Amino acid sequence: MTRSALEFDRVSKSFFGVAALSDVTLSIPEGCLLGLIGENGAGKSTLMNALAGVITPDQGTMRLFGVPFHPTCPADATRAGIAFIHQELNLFSNLSVVDNLYIDGFPRLCRLPIIDKRKAYRQAAELLTAVDLCLSPATPIELLTPGERQLVEIAKALGRNARIIIFDEPTTSLTAAERSKLFQVIDNLRREGRTIIYISHSLDDVLRLADTIAVLRDGKLVSTGPGDQYSANRMVADMVGREIAQMYPARASAPGPESVLDVKSLTQPGMIKDISFTLHEGEVLGVFGLMGSGRSELARIVYGLDPFKSGSIRVRGTDAGAPSPIRSIRNGVAFVTENRRQEGLLMEAPVSENIDLSSLRRYARYGSARIIDRRAALKAARQMAESLQIKSGSIDRHRAKHLSGGNQQKVVIAKWLLTDPGILILDEPTRGIDVGAKYELYSIINDLASRGTAILYISSELEELTGMCDRILVMSNGEIQAQFRHSEFDQESVLQAAFRGRTTANQTEANGEN
Amino acid sequence: MNERRNKLVSILLNNMPMLLFVLLLIAFGAIAPESLQYQNIENAFKQASYIGIVAIGMTFVLLTGGIDLSVGSNMYVSAVIAGLAMQRYSVGAGPALLLCLVVGAVFGTINAIAVTKLRILPFVATLAMMVSGRGVGLMFSKSRAVAFPDPVTGLGSAELFSLLPYPIVIFALVVGGAALLLHRTQLGRQIYALGYDKEVARKAGINADRVQAAAYILCGLFAALGGFVSVVQLGNVNAGFGKGDEFDAIAAAVLGGVSLFGGVGRVFPGVVLGAVFIQAISIGLVSAQVDLYLHPLITAAVIFSAVLADSLRNTYLKKLSRRNIRLEV
Ligand SMILES: Nc1ncnc2c1ncn2[C@@H]1O[C@H](COP(=O)(O)OP(=O)(O)OP(=O)(O)O)[C@@H](O)[C@H]1O
Ligand SMILES: [Mg+2]
């Protein structure tokens, strides 16, 4: 009989009168990996924030190895052996890896308040080796990829000798290789007897990793039990509160003959090479590639965020020249970027203003006075928020920064959908979003396509692309390696194409690190 | 080939303060070769030492992402109180310096409380202190100049081992101490962390309020020390003492590469060069006999172009540091 590492007893928390957690009672045995799942806004991060001292619960108690535990600040939790790897990583990108590892407790030179630099570097190097990361501890965080940053966070947890480690959606921005490396590291941690809480929207990952599963819905614990008692279907049903029969809604329309976006021999040294494709009216064109294959770079160049050296981009038959974001918006091109949080939100502004931001022009009234018809704008924002199931307080008051991670993602998507674009570029739109909302987003995409919008859909989830797209382009090493029509979709050959030219790409990555 | 050029460009851009400084020296050499004598250069450093010390204090606050507009008034109050103590109670130079530093630290502590406990925006809190601080100083001095006695003012022209003037020695010690504090102590690293993002710092287990408070207190302490070093050279404190120095200090820090957004910048060589730079411009303008009314305009133009160059640099560096995904042959 193993003892409990952690017990929550009737823990509740509300924000501005809205309950985010109500009466959560849950116990986690020592050395166990708990998979914590739930829809966006279900309260997963909030529960972990309570444990890590980021917030204090309104009611209820927590026990750590049988002892009552009431952290009042994150430092309390760290001291008690809890490490929290946040959904949005909590690193200082202006500082080096060592600084980040020891920022709240550097090794000191004989008790003086002076940092023992040599010792810090040596220990840091050991920790980095333990998580299989070949980097100098002096490297600034800003030069690391998201996957490497994740591993730095884990190294930090190891350095504290944390007994309980919380992963809040750790895989959202990892490459496939980084993800399997992460799983290996997690397996090692579990073997060492550490207790792990793993939050994710990737149900397959949770099924694969978890010993125990707990499901939250609307701040309540709806079910918990050993991992082998759960199937993907049961997880979805528990999370959403109803059965979801199919993952992908059926498409009613087919692409039209007219081409709206014509890309010819687009080349930018170091990024992409000789890319040509045509996007038709009402077509959903998938772009598949591993991370670092050039798919996001292609999107940024087409939208006008980055320059290109040669080639051409034609929108509806006219040459767009060197595109800029402003010209793209005027041409009816919308771009949902991969880094939605950094590039897409006004954190202090209410949800509705964020949603309206890019389509305000449409609500300008009274001729040249261009005064915004706020009521119409708010109504449109509310409709969009409802159809994407954004979980928020009153949207004209609730600030974007107070939304859950997944709901923030939805707000950015809502903003671009509302512009009613002629060409929509989506880069990993379902990342961090729960199953129910995914289905809604797919339906909206189908709906847009049937009304003639051309969609460029970038994703690293092959299944998603095969479920949604008319055609798929496969990229690797900055080039298009293959192209498949809907009837030819075949997992095996797509993956093969995606790995083509990877060896040289890896060399480049190694060069970049020097 | 291209690689190497990029590397060179990024080295140059990363050492912008140094580069500007060299350019300035070349300009002086071309316009007025006699200005590059050892004596003139020593003078530039000597006169720059007080503003340099204040600028280093300011750097702590700027690194946290804040600002301290009250350093000029702080210099005034602490110097007035130290001067009066010497005049009325004939305390010695050592205790007077100590008193001056204590007043400066108290001044900084008030700022720290206003910013961390009362949660007033740094700009507003220190602006209030700038106004009220000078008022308090004027109350003590009755708006009259306060003269410092001889033994103290003698220090202004004295030299260590008859080699280096004391102001430069003190400046050098401050630079060394500040660099040690920022790069080799936990507090220093946490100041940088705080400047990146206060909420992230809190989640990382840093006592963010305490670190922020420390920055303001250190800034107050260094402002008072800078003021003392200046008085020692001037001999007395008149009612306008320190007025406008807050802007020179901020300009010196920014010229030296400290970001107003926090989290980025170094004391050495950056801020040191920034301070000497500002002083050198005015010395250069005087020795080139430029119209007095043009001085502020020219100084402003130089600072503006330095800051502009800095922001261009950041955009360019960001571009350079993007990883390539393809290997081009
Ligand atoms: N600081 C806050 N102020 C106000 N409301 C908040 C705050 N933090 C969380 N909430 C609300 O609490 C609810 C639960 O949020 P939480 O972040 O725990 O969701 P989550 O389960 O982690 O979702 P996701 O999968 O999207 O990350 C959300 O509705 C959110 O709007
Ligand atoms: Mg969350």
Side-chain angles (χ1 to χ4, degrees):
Chain A
M1 173 75 213
T2 47
R3 62 178 174 151
S4 290
L6 201 61
E7 289 154 278
F8 294 95
D9 188 19
R10 303 176 66 84
V11 172
S12 301
K13 174 79 189 177
S14 36
F15 295 105
F16 313 117
V18 181
L21 288 177
S22 40
D23 274 347
V24 175
T25 301
L26 177 65
S27 141
I28 305 164
E30 187 174 6
C32 157
L33 192 150
L34 174 83
L36 184 58
I37 58 175
E39 288 184 288
N40 297 129
K44 305 178 296 292
S45 300
T46 306
L47 187 66
M48 293 304 112
N49 279 333
L51 177 61
V54 180
I55 58 161
T56 34
D58 301 333
Q59 268 161 44
T61 52
M62 294 179 281
R63 291 168 159 276
L64 195 61
F65 298 102
V67 185
F69 177 60
H70 299 284
T72 54
C73 64
D76 285 350
T78 308
R79 262 192 299 276
I82 296 171
F84 189 176
I85 296 166
H86 289 266
Q87 196 165 3
E88 311 294 338
L89 293 183
N90 205 60
L91 294 172
F92 305 98
S93 47
N94 60 336
L95 296 178
S96 68
V97 173
V98 224
D99 284 338
N100 272 281
L101 288 178
Y102 294 111
I103 194 69
D104 60 341
F106 279 93
R108 301 199 166 167
L109 263 183
C110 2
R111 303 249 182 89
L112 290 172
I114 306 280
I115 295 169
D116 186 343
K117 229 174 163 175
R118 198 169 307 153
K119 191 167 168 197
Y121 271 76
R122 203 182 53 231
Q123 288 180 355
E126 278 167 18
L127 289 175
L128 292 180
T129 326
V131 295
D132 211 1
L133 193 56
C134 310
L135 277 180
S136 155
T139 321
I141 295 289
E142 59 189 352
L143 296 185
L144 305 189
T145 65
E148 289 165 339
R149 293 179 198 208
Q150 192 91 50
L151 291 171
V152 170
E153 286 266 26
I154 298 173
K156 190 171 167 184
L158 293 181
R160 303 285 148 62
N161 211 359
R163 290 179 296 172
I164 295 176
I165 305 179
I166 305 163
F167 292 89
D168 196 350
E169 293 189 44
T171 54
T172 42
S173 45
L174 300 192
T175 66
E178 286 169 336
R179 186 207 296 242
S180 55
K181 194 162 155 185
L182 174 72
F183 288 169
Q184 249 170 36
V185 174
I186 289 179
D187 272 333
N188 287 341
L189 295 174
R190 173 163 41 177
R191 211 166 305 134
E192 290 164 13
R194 299 179 212 256
T195 309
I196 295 166
I197 300 171
Y198 186 91
I199 299 176
S200 177
H201 288 292
S202 165
L203 302 181
D204 291 339
D205 291 352
V206 174
L207 275 177
R208 180 179 147 189
L209 288 169
D211 304 314
T212 314
I213 289 178
V215 186
L216 284 177
R217 189 199 317 149
D218 294 330
K220 296 186 195 71
L221 185 75
V222 286
S223 81
T224 177
D228 45 26
Q229 288 178 8
Y230 282 83
S231 63
N233 278 339
R234 170 163 179 218
M235 288 160 92
V236 172
D238 283 355
M239 281 166 66
V240 186
R242 62 189 153 86
E243 300 272 346
I244 291 189
Q246 87 218 78
M247 276 305 294
Y248 302 97
R251 268 282 283 292
S253 63
E258 201 187 327
S259 82
V260 284
L261 180 70
D262 241 317
V263 172
K264 280 236 162 52
S265 316
L266 206 60
T267 299
Q268 167 71 8
M271 296 288 158
I272 57 172
K273 188 180 165 202
D274 202 16
I275 302 258
S276 305
F277 65 87
T278 308
L279 180 61
H280 299 92
E281 190 186 22
E283 182 178 33
V284 182
L285 174 60
V287 180
F288 179 75
L290 307 172
M291 214 171 281
S293 60
R295 47 186 189 159
S296 301
E297 287 72 10
L298 171 64
R300 289 176 58 90
I301 289 173
V302 169
Y303 187 65
L305 287 172
D306 289 331
F308 58 91
K309 195 161 170 213
S310 61
S312 71
I313 300 172
R314 299 172 78 84
V315 178
R316 282 190 201 83
T318 49
D319 197 325
S324 69
I326 293 181
R327 188 173 324 176
S328 290
I329 292 177
R330 217 170 278 152
N331 279 340
V333 185
F335 181 23
V336 177
T337 61
E338 183 181 25
N339 304 325
R340 284 184 276 281
R341 202 178 143 100
Q342 288 154 30
E343 294 173 19
L345 276 182
L346 305 173
M347 283 295 173
E348 299 293 332
V351 174
S352 59
E353 279 180 26
N354 273 288
I355 297 179
D356 286 331
L357 197 60
S358 297
S359 33
L360 281 179
R361 183 190 294 249
R362 248 193 291 149
Y363 304 105
R365 300 280 187 275
Y366 309 112
S368 55
R370 305 195 132 261
I371 292 170
I372 304 293
D373 181 349
R374 297 196 54 137
R375 197 172 311 158
L378 183 61
K379 192 172 152 214
R382 190 160 281 149
Q383 251 167 24
M384 192 51 83
E386 264 162 31
S387 64
L388 279 180
Q389 302 174 348
I390 294 174
K391 190 164 183 280
S392 140
S394 168
I395 61 165
D396 52 336
R397 259 177 283 143
H398 202 99
R399 291 185 193 191
K401 71 169 175 188
H402 289 147
L403 288 180
S404 80
N407 283 305
Q408 288 175 347
Q409 309 257 339
K410 293 185 197 171
V411 169
V412 181
I413 296 172
K415 175 173 80 178
W416 290 112
L417 291 181
L418 198 60
T419 61
D420 204 5
I423 300 174
L424 176 62
I425 307 175
L426 298 162
D427 195 354
E428 299 279 5
T430 55
R431 186 182 279 170
I433 286 186
D434 66 55
V435 261
K438 273 184 195 165
Y439 189 86
E440 289 308 316
L441 180 65
Y442 297 146
S443 311
I444 292 177
I445 289 173
N446 281 348
D447 191 39
L448 283 174
S450 72
R451 284 188 283 139
T453 303
I455 294 159
L456 193 64
Y457 195 115
I458 301 171
S459 176
S460 44
E461 306 272 336
L462 188 50
E463 200 189 317
E464 186 172 286
L465 291 177
T466 47
M468 291 296 298
C469 300
D470 299 305
R471 264 190 307 150
I472 300 181
L473 306 175
V474 184
M475 284 187 74
S476 152
N477 196 24
E479 297 173 56
I480 292 182
Q481 302 285 357
Q483 201 187 127
F484 300 87
R485 319 195 142 274
H486 190 86
S487 53
E488 312 161 344
F489 286 170
D490 165 40
Q491 187 134 356
E492 194 68 8
S493 24
V494 172
L495 278 176
Q496 237 166 36
F499 277 101
R500 213 173 288 157
R502 275 297 280 182
T503 40
T504 45
N506 288 342
Q507 273 167 21
T508 338
E509 218 172 274
N511 279 344
E513 274 163 19
N514 286 339
Chain B
M1 193 34 227
N2 216 350
E3 274 287 289
R4 198 167 296 164
R5 206 197 61 200
N6 282 351
K7 206 158 216 171
L8 187 73
V9 173
S10 75
I11 288 177
L12 285 182
L13 288 177
N14 272 321
N15 292 295
M16 196 61 116
M18 194 67 111
L19 197 69
L20 281 175
F21 196 68
V22 171
L23 282 181
L24 185 79
L25 287 185
I26 294 175
F28 278 158
I31 300 166
E34 66 283 359
S35 66
L36 289 186
Q37 289 160 1
Y38 174 75
Q39 198 53 47
N40 278 334
I41 294 175
E42 188 186 281
N43 261 341
F45 269 91
K46 190 167 150 185
Q47 289 175 32
S49 55
Y50 91 91
I51 206 70
I53 293 170
V54 181
I56 283 171
M58 182 68 74
T59 301
F60 290 118
V61 170
L62 293 179
L63 282 176
T64 66
I67 196 164
D68 187 349
L69 298 178
S70 69
V71 290
S73 299
N74 183 344
M75 289 163 67
Y76 181 63
V77 181
S78 50
V80 162
I81 292 180
L84 289 179
M86 281 193 282
Q87 272 183 7
R88 302 221 180 120
Y89 309 102
S90 52
V91 297
L97 172 61
L98 201 65
L99 180 64
C100 171
L101 295 182
V102 168
V103 174
V106 168
F107 205 97
T109 309
I110 299 175
N111 279 330
I113 292 173
V115 171
T116 61
K117 289 278 175 279
L118 308 180
R119 310 227 168 256
I120 303 173
L121 280 181
F123 190 97
V124 180
T126 60
L127 184 67
M129 279 302 279
M130 167 174 145
V131 177
S132 56
R134 188 157 295 269
V136 171
L138 290 173
M139 243 162 57
F140 276 108
S141 68
K142 312 247 168 16
S143 299
R144 282 192 294 265
V146 178
F148 271 49
D150 283 345
V152 179
T153 50
L155 280 175
S157 45
E159 302 196 327
L160 183 68
F161 308 130
S162 48
L163 202 69
L164 272 179
Y166 270 105
I168 295 184
V169 174
I170 297 175
F171 185 28
L173 287 177
V174 167
V175 171
L180 184 75
L181 195 145
L182 282 177
H183 298 288
R184 293 297 298 273
T185 71
Q186 182 158 314
L187 176 65
R189 300 323 288 161
Q190 292 187 345
I191 285 177
Y192 280 90
L194 195 67
Y196 175 71
D197 187 323
K198 195 172 176 184
E199 186 53 29
V200 173
R202 204 178 74 82
K203 281 191 195 158
I206 295 173
N207 190 335
D209 281 347
R210 205 162 69 193
V211 174
Q212 199 174 21
Y216 283 91
I217 295 171
L218 283 167
C219 180
L221 193 71
F222 281 128
L225 181 61
F228 198 83
V229 169
S230 172
V231 182
V232 158
Q233 294 175 61
L234 295 173
N236 65 23
V237 188
N238 60 34
F241 180 75
K243 223 173 210 168
D245 280 349
E246 53 278 337
F247 296 108
D248 279 353
I250 294 169
V254 172
L255 274 177
V258 178
S259 161
L260 286 175
F261 297 106
V264 178
R266 303 180 135 255
V267 166
F268 188 82
V271 180
V272 175
L273 291 183
V276 178
F277 196 100
I278 285 196
Q279 215 41 255
I281 296 171
S282 66
I283 294 177
L285 289 176
V286 171
S287 64
Q289 294 177 338
V290 175
D291 184 349
L292 261 182
Y293 292 108
L294 285 179
H295 285 195
L297 280 183
I298 295 177
T299 316
V302 172
I303 292 177
F304 178 79
S305 37
V307 174
L308 180 70
D310 185 60
S311 84
L312 292 180
R313 169 185 81 147
N314 284 335
T315 346
Y316 191 75
L317 278 181
K318 215 169 250 165
K319 254 189 212 147
L320 277 189
S321 66
R322 284 189 67 169
R323 283 192 192 188
N324 279 0
I325 50 175
R326 279 178 57 83
L327 182 65
E328 302 288 338
V329 271

